[in-house]
Amino acid sequence: MIRISHTSVLVDDQAKALEFYTGKLGFTKRTDVPVGEARWLTVVSPAAPDGVELLLEPDGHPAARAFKEALVADGIPWTQFAVDDVAAEVERLQGLGVEFVQEATDLGPVVVAVLDDTCGNLVQLAQLKG
């Protein structure tokens, strides 16, 4: 059976991304291996340390940067993380200095908020209601 082991977020600076994703969002560094000028750098959720790894992938390819810039210009988050309570996470993260471009918004079956990861991405937090 095929399963998801890794997924990526394109970042403009791996060191800055590692600091944000661990220091602000609370992920834990899993793998850090030099690969030429970049690193194979992954983080995991402490709630699922053996779960899917998030690769902090360098956005050095011109198409990657253009793609990210277009998404941000249109206010579109490319990455989404599940949380139990969006309002509480927004409050916690704002206390750590995280900037939100969309506050917690109730969309019926889901509550979402969108933050700036400081590495060129918008990230959506989502809480399924039910």
Side-chain angles (χ1 to χ4, degrees):
M1 170 98 346
I2 296 175
R3 60 188 168 83
I4 299 170
S5 66
H6 293 77
T7 190
S8 300
V9 61
L10 296 165
V11 299
D12 58 15
D13 180 311
Q14 286 184 299
K16 181 172 71 170
L18 180 62
E19 175 57 32
F20 182 83
Y21 281 81
T22 59
K24 304 287 186 185
L25 297 186
F27 289 100
T28 304
K29 181 170 66 171
R30 176 76 180 266
T31 307
D32 189 353
V33 178
V35 182
E37 294 181 18
R39 298 149 66 182
W40 181 264
L41 180 59
T42 69
V43 295
V44 295
S45 169
D50 295 323
V52 176
E53 294 180 49
L54 179 65
L55 176 61
L56 304 176
E57 180 80 41
D59 69 357
H61 190 281
R65 288 195 180 144
F67 175 70
K68 285 175 45 179
E69 289 170 3
L71 289 175
V72 170
D74 288 343
I76 300 171
W78 184 248
T79 301
Q80 177 175 289
F81 300 126
V83 297
D84 293 330
D85 184 335
V86 167
E89 277 302 303
V90 168
E91 183 176 337
R92 179 185 77 80
L93 292 170
Q94 284 177 329
L96 294 172
V98 174
E99 179 185 332
F100 280 80
V101 299
Q102 178 185 320
E103 295 291 328
T105 304
D106 189 325
L107 300 176
V110 65
V111 178
V112 299
V114 179
L115 62 89
D116 179 336
D117 79 349
T118 74
C119 301
N121 302 288
L122 298 180
V123 174
Q124 182 167 278
L125 303 180
Q127 168 194 346
L128 290 176
K129 297 184 335 189

